[in-house]
Amino acid sequence: MATVRLHHVGKTYPNGQVALKDIDLSIKDGELMVVVGPSGCGKSTLLRVLAGLETITQGELLIDDCKANDLSPQRRNIAMVFQDYALYPTMSVRENLSFPLKMRKLSSGEIRKKVAWAADLLDLGEVLERLPKQLSGGQRQRVAMGRALVREPSVFLLDEPLSNLDTKLRAQVRTEIGDLQKRTGTTMIYVTHDQVEAMTLGHRITILDQGVIQQIATPEALYDDPASSWVAGFIGTPPMNLGEALITMSPLHYEVTLGQETMATLSKENPPVSIMPALDNGHSILMGVRPEALLMASDHEPGFMATVTSLEYLGHETLVHLRPLGAPASLNWIMRAHGQSAFAAGSLIRLARLQAANLHFFRF
Ligand SMILES: Nc1ncnc2c1ncn2[C@@H]1O[C@H](COP(=O)(O)OP(=O)(O)OP(=O)(O)O)[C@@H](O)[C@H]1O
Ligand SMILES: [Mg+2]
């Protein structure tokens, strides 16, 4: 069990590449923190810095409140499963699992006990005598995790551990990792670029971009209240629809228009605070709305027109690509339609006015 804290941590590689900038992050004991971000944003660097495989160039790392900047990897009691994990190919699963314990000079009795524990936990009992090449991808992955787990680390780092698995196996092993973390209560830092993994596994999620933390929040808060348009456009599959809107005042309301259409009216008494900057800024603001908040208008309710530009049929739903009337040609919004959509590309449809609660406003 352990807490991990980073204060203003920076990492610049010897070639001058700045991989982490001013990282402030506090991971609680027993927490599963997921780190997401685009390729090259510094996720693996962050884990390698925590594991002691890379030196920190600025700031302070605290593990259980003790400064750990200069502790060797062996003394950190941190286990890491790498992005491209490798098992020892000539050793059986049992030997792979035993290896880190032999290195620590544990007795053979203790080793046997711990290997049996890990094999049971990860459902590897049947394959203990096999070589890695005789295993499925998912089984290999579990051996790699078992090898890290037998050390009973106080912090467990996983770098895209499921990237080599097919969709079905990913889902299965993902659930197993979540269960494992719950059962062992080990502090875990899990790097992925898969949103489903991030949303389903993370107690909290840290979003990185270009070595800088963009937001740290629970999955719910990240989805419902993204800190910036960048986060809004990163989280969600498909991500939030964004577009430049104009806020104007009518006697009773603030009106939100985009292209030719009034998309929403906001109460003057209780407008979202986030529209305030727009009122001093030529009244223009970046507006966001999630795909599931776009709905067809019924006959009698106020609505706005949009052109269907294309359709993506996914089986359980269709992603309807559309553009509100008069919006710039570059604007591509997406609405979810249940099952197969009856619309045709090129047709005009009428969507219901957007509810204030479903709107997000961001600075440009
Ligand atoms: N040893 C190194 N020397 C110099 N630059 C490096 C080194 N390792 C990584 N980098 C650079 O640091 C940045 C962050 O790399 P990192 O591997 O942490 O990204 P990542 O978020 O894990 O990406 P991916 O999702 O592709 O695995 C990248 O620009 C990368 O090119
Ligand atoms: Mg990486």
Side-chain angles (χ1 to χ4, degrees):
M1 301 294 161
T3 59
V4 177
R5 283 194 288 153
L6 295 97
H7 287 304
H8 305 294
V9 165
K11 169 68 188 176
T12 305
Y13 283 106
N15 67 354
Q17 172 75 42
V18 180
L20 296 175
K21 286 180 220 163
D22 204 26
I23 299 288
D24 261 322
L25 186 59
S26 183
I27 295 146
K28 296 174 213 156
D29 186 24
E31 184 170 30
L32 199 170
M33 174 67 87
V34 168
V35 180
V36 287
S39 183
C41 72
K43 304 181 294 294
S44 296
T45 303
L46 178 64
L47 290 198
R48 293 176 62 80
V49 155
L50 293 177
L53 302 170
E54 294 288 350
T55 55
I56 290 173
T57 43
Q58 283 115 38
E60 197 175 42
L61 167 65
L62 299 168
I63 299 174
D64 269 341
D65 296 328
C66 296
K67 189 167 174 185
N69 288 40
D70 301 320
L71 272 188
S72 69
Q74 293 76 21
R75 296 195 46 212
R76 293 189 188 197
N77 201 16
I78 287 181
M80 180 155 168
V81 175
F82 293 91
Q83 200 163 357
D84 41 8
Y85 61 90
L87 301 174
Y88 304 110
T90 56
M91 292 186 192
S92 69
V93 170
R94 181 187 298 285
E95 288 161 337
N96 264 284
L97 293 174
S98 309
F99 189 74
L101 304 174
K102 277 193 188 139
M103 298 301 283
R104 289 182 155 194
K105 310 224 181 323
L106 262 62
S107 73
S108 57
E110 276 175 299
I111 293 178
R112 212 173 314 116
K113 235 173 35 202
K114 287 201 173 191
V115 168
W117 168 78
D120 187 41
L121 196 67
L122 295 161
D123 198 15
L124 291 167
E126 309 260 293
V127 299
L128 277 175
E129 310 313 326
R130 291 200 205 161
L131 291 173
K133 67 175 181 204
Q134 298 165 316
L135 302 175
S136 75
Q139 289 167 331
R140 263 180 245 160
Q141 184 61 61
R142 280 180 267 152
V143 177
M145 280 197 289
R147 200 173 55 180
L149 266 177
V150 286
R151 291 175 44 194
E152 293 178 37
S154 45
V155 182
F156 200 13
L157 308 177
L158 294 149
D159 192 355
E160 307 216 26
L162 310 185
S163 51
N164 296 325
L165 307 184
D166 67 36
T167 318
K168 200 168 157 207
L169 210 49
R170 273 177 100 104
Q172 185 194 330
V173 183
R174 184 179 77 220
T175 313
E176 285 168 4
I177 292 176
D179 288 349
L180 187 77
Q181 198 275 339
K182 262 192 218 121
R183 265 182 286 160
T184 57
T186 310
T187 307
M188 195 180 268
I189 305 171
Y190 186 105
V191 161
T192 181
H193 61 253
D194 182 313
Q195 297 220 5
V196 179
E197 278 171 35
M199 296 298 278
T200 54
L201 280 178
H203 299 165
R204 287 189 300 158
I205 301 175
T206 298
I207 303 200
L208 268 185
D209 185 37
Q210 297 183 32
V212 178
I213 291 182
Q214 304 294 318
Q215 189 168 1
I216 306 170
T218 62
E220 296 79 14
L222 211 54
Y223 195 79
D224 294 339
D225 197 12
S228 65
S229 57
W230 190 88
V231 173
F234 185 76
I235 291 291
T237 323
M240 189 181 281
N241 298 306
L242 295 165
E244 182 177 346
L246 219 56
I247 310 277
T248 52
M249 275 187 265
S250 71
L252 294 174
H253 295 109
Y254 290 111
E255 286 201 8
V256 183
T257 54
L258 194 153
Q260 300 169 6
E261 302 282 311
T262 299
M263 301 239 151
T265 54
L266 307 174
S267 134
K268 264 189 162 167
E269 273 162 25
N270 196 14
V273 280
S274 50
I275 68 162
M276 292 309 168
L279 302 177
D280 318 323
N281 179 35
H283 295 240
S284 130
I285 195 163
L286 192 58
M287 184 182 83
V289 58
R290 293 266 176 217
E292 56 273 25
L294 294 181
L295 300 167
M296 297 301 288
S298 60
D299 287 348
H300 307 295
E301 67 181 322
F304 63 93
M305 304 300 291
T307 310
V308 174
T309 52
S310 63
L311 299 152
E312 283 179 283
Y313 174 61
L314 300 175
H316 65 297
E317 66 174 359
T318 302
L319 301 180
V320 182
H321 293 246
L322 51 87
R323 184 161 58 246
L325 224 54
S330 57
L331 200 78
N332 176 38
W333 278 15
I334 295 177
M335 169 175 78
R336 296 178 186 281
H338 196 65
Q340 195 159 13
S341 157
F343 311 132
S347 58
L348 262 184
I349 55 174
R350 208 169 72 90
L351 303 178
R353 283 238 174 117
L354 306 174
Q355 302 294 315
N358 291 330
L359 294 180
H360 304 260
F361 295 100
F362 306 102
R363 288 164 192 276
F364 281 101

